[in-house]
């Protein structure tokens, strides 16, 4: 056997698998490998530049993390970090990838990453592992995100696993973080929003959890309602629903209405030759109709949910990136909770009004958004956010 990847190396491999739409729940279980070379007699870079190795290569910027059963089996090679796990692990702890590689399973990986991540970072990872998307293995925040894939695990599975293991490093923090994770995030922005609203104020969140994601809401009015007819859907699935009031949010991202394609088609139609004009015009009108249909469906969705006592606020990309944008939206949500449902919102408003907490929230939110991590680090070093 070759190596058992753990920690960040296992996370990278897991993201690669999920991006290839591999259902990791169907992958065979394995065991902690006894480290053994497959090219030379001693560990060297030759092992990792061979065609037999399909995963990350060890480097000074990105050491390879492996798990071994005892000190004697540590891999003696530069840029490989060996983590000794002498604890007897449940059978679901290790996944078999190929004849040279096993990795920590998602449930064990969540605990291992608690050794590295802060609680907010670990919660965000939890939403990814328990959701229907995967971040890029090489560039998690600015790289491409794969949507529409199978969950790697679930909140119940994480909790059950934690209850079945003896002490392993990271377990205490993992138990704290899993309290703020929910299943079924279908996109990275949903996970960011759910993290911000689930986390308590002391972790730079809004403390408005627990939340539920993409929960089915029956919006049919009568038995004659037909499935699939625009505006007459029997069910809606708000991105996030709060538990303290019948309120929720739907994230409408930059490409929600695909205006970029509409503009591109319009430019092509204007610049086209007479031969191509007719087809391009048809494509332009079809895209216009599709965008209009989507817009109309969004309006009807909001009305349907309101008719069932659920007020769902649309959230845009600008709400996440503008200064205090998410705070301002949250004030509107809380005002609705008070005015429409008589909810006592004083404890939430107190968090919003705290200047230092507001700075901490901005820094945390920026750290979770594409192209925002550099600014978040700058804010922390400038004293605008407490270190986690």
């Amino acid at each position: 056997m070759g190596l058992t990847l753990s920690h960040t190396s296992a996370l990278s491999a897991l993201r690669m698998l999920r991006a290839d739409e591999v259902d990791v729940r169907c992958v065979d279980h394995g065991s902690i490998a006894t480290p053994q070379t497959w090219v030379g007699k001693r560990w060297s870079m030759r092992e990792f530049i061979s065609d037999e190795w399909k995963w990350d290569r060890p480097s000074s910027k990105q050491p390879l993390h492996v798990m071994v059963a005892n000190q004697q089996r540590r891999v003696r090679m530069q840029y490989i970090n060996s983590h000794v796990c002498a604890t007897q692990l449940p059978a679901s702890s290790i996944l078999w990838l190929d004849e040279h590689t096993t990795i920590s399973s998602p449930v064990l990986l969540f605990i291992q990453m608690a050794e590295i991540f802060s609680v907010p970072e670990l919660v965000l990872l939890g939403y990814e592992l328990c959701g229907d998307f995967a971040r890029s293995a090489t560039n998690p925040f600015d790289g491409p995100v794969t949507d529409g894939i199978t969950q790697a695990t679930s909140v119940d599975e994480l909790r059950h696993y934690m209850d079945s293991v003896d002490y392993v490093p990271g377990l205490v923090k993992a138990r704290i973080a899993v309290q703020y994770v929910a299943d079924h995030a279908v996109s990275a922005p949903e996970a960011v929003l759910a993290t911000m609203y689930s986390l308590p104020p002391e972790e730079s969140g809004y403390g408005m959890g627990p939340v539920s994601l993409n929960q089915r809401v029956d919006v049919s009015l009568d038995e004659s309602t037909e499935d699939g007819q625009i505006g007459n859907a029997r069910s809606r699935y708000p991105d996030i629903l709060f538990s303290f009031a019948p309120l929720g949010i739907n994230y409408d991202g930059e490409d929600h209405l695909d205006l970029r394609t509409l503009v591109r088609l319009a430019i092509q139609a204007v610049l086209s030759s007479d031969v191509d004009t007719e087809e391009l015009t048809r494509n332009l009108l079809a895209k216009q109709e599709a965008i209009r249909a989507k817009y109309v469906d969004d309006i009807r969705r909001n009305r349907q949910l309101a008719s069932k006592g659920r007020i769902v606020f649309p959230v845009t990309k600008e709400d996440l990136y503008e200064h205090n944008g998410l705070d301002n939206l949250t004030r509107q949500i809380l005002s609705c909770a008070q005015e429409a449902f008589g909810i006592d919102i004083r404890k939430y408003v107190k968090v919003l009004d705290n200047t230092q907490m507001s700075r901490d929230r901005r820094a945390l939110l920026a750290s979770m958004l594409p192209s925002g991590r550099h600014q978040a680090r700058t804010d922390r070093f400038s004293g605008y956010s407490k270190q986690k």
Side-chain angles (χ1 to χ4, degrees):
M1 180 58 86
L3 295 172
T4 297
L5 300 182
S6 70
H7 296 74
T8 53
S9 299
L11 178 56
S12 176
L14 181 67
R15 283 171 167 162
M16 291 170 63
L17 291 169
R18 298 189 73 208
D20 286 338
E21 300 187 5
V22 173
D23 185 350
V24 296
R25 285 178 161 176
C26 296
V27 174
D28 291 337
H29 292 133
S31 58
I32 300 178
T34 299
Q36 183 177 338
T37 58
W38 49 90
V39 176
K41 294 182 178 180
R42 295 184 178 181
W43 288 104
S44 71
M45 194 57 68
R46 292 174 58 198
E47 307 300 323
F48 303 100
I49 62 176
S50 71
D51 293 337
E52 296 178 73
W53 183 255
K54 303 178 179 65
W55 315 100
D56 291 342
R57 296 175 183 175
S59 68
S60 58
K61 291 185 178 180
Q62 187 174 323
L64 198 68
H65 291 264
V66 302
M67 183 165 47
V68 295
N70 54 57
Q71 290 283 355
Q72 290 70 37
R73 293 179 178 177
R74 295 173 68 91
V75 179
R76 311 294 179 179
M77 177 181 160
Q78 190 178 29
Y79 309 138
I80 293 185
N81 293 340
S82 298
H83 301 264
V84 177
C85 179
T87 303
Q88 184 69 31
L89 296 174
S92 59
S93 300
I94 308 295
L95 301 182
W96 187 93
L97 297 188
D98 57 45
E99 61 181 340
H100 302 302
T101 322
T102 59
I103 65 168
S104 304
S105 69
V107 286
L108 175 58
L109 177 62
F110 186 76
I111 299 174
Q112 290 177 336
M113 292 308 296
E115 297 182 66
I116 302 170
F117 282 177
S118 66
V119 169
E121 290 172 321
L122 193 58
V123 171
L124 187 64
L125 174 63
Y127 278 105
E128 178 183 352
L129 297 177
C130 298
D132 305 332
F133 72 96
R135 295 182 181 275
S136 166
T138 56
N139 193 351
F141 287 91
D142 290 326
V145 176
T146 305
D147 296 321
I149 57 179
T150 306
Q151 291 174 265
T153 185
S154 69
V155 172
D156 283 345
E157 288 171 0
L158 288 174
R159 287 176 173 157
H160 176 76
Y161 184 83
M162 291 178 201
D163 290 339
S164 67
V165 294
D166 295 327
Y167 177 77
V168 293
L171 182 59
V172 174
K173 189 189 291 185
R175 288 188 188 278
I176 294 171
V178 78
Q179 300 175 77
Y180 309 115
V181 180
D183 294 322
H184 305 307
V186 301
S187 70
E190 273 187 30
V192 170
L193 285 164
T195 298
M196 292 300 301
Y197 283 116
S198 298
L199 283 171
E202 56 269 25
E203 292 291 350
S204 301
Y206 289 101
M208 293 166 59
V211 299
S212 58
L213 281 67
N214 297 289
Q215 177 180 305
R216 179 181 178 275
V217 178
D218 184 358
V219 295
S220 58
L221 295 176
D222 55 54
E223 293 300 323
S224 64
T225 303
E226 296 182 6
D227 287 323
Q229 186 176 340
I230 292 179
N232 285 335
R234 288 183 179 273
S235 302
R236 295 291 188 176
Y237 299 84
D239 292 347
I240 296 176
L241 289 175
F242 296 103
S243 56
F244 70 94
L247 300 169
I249 56 179
N250 271 320
Y251 179 73
D252 293 343
E254 190 174 13
D255 297 324
H256 182 66
L257 294 178
D258 198 13
L259 295 177
R260 282 201 183 104
T261 301
L262 182 67
V263 171
R264 177 177 58 80
L265 291 172
I267 293 173
Q268 288 178 345
V270 170
L271 299 178
S272 67
S273 64
D274 292 340
V275 176
D276 299 327
T277 299
E278 185 175 347
E279 180 180 357
L280 288 171
T281 299
R282 283 198 304 269
N283 293 339
L284 177 61
L285 292 175
K287 175 55 68 174
Q288 178 184 340
E289 290 176 5
I291 291 175
R292 178 62 184 177
K294 178 60 178 171
Y295 171 75
V296 169
D297 187 54
D298 287 347
I299 296 297
R300 289 173 172 169
R301 172 201 66 195
N302 293 342
R303 289 203 309 250
Q304 290 168 333
L305 289 167
S307 75
K308 296 298 182 179
R310 296 280 192 180
I311 299 177
V312 178
F313 286 70
V315 181
T316 67
K317 177 183 176 181
E318 289 72 16
D319 291 320
L320 299 183
Y321 281 89
E322 288 178 359
H323 185 76
N324 284 338
L326 193 57
D327 272 14
N328 294 335
L329 169 74
T330 303
R331 288 185 187 277
Q332 293 172 341
I333 293 172
L334 292 173
S335 177
C336 179
Q338 181 180 55
E339 298 297 328
F341 303 106
I343 304 298
D344 184 353
I345 62 172
R346 285 176 293 182
K347 68 176 182 179
Y348 304 120
V349 172
K350 184 178 180 180
V351 171
L352 282 172
D353 289 343
N354 186 300
T355 303
Q356 183 59 52
M357 286 183 175
S358 180
R359 289 169 177 164
D360 292 343
R361 282 194 302 276
R362 286 201 303 270
L364 176 59
L365 177 61
S367 74
M368 296 190 291
L369 296 174
S371 302
R373 295 181 69 78
H374 173 73
Q375 181 60 44
R377 287 195 295 269
T378 301
D379 286 348
R380 289 192 178 99
F381 292 140
S382 301
Y384 287 110
S385 178
K386 62 189 178 185
Q387 291 282 355
K388 295 298 179 198

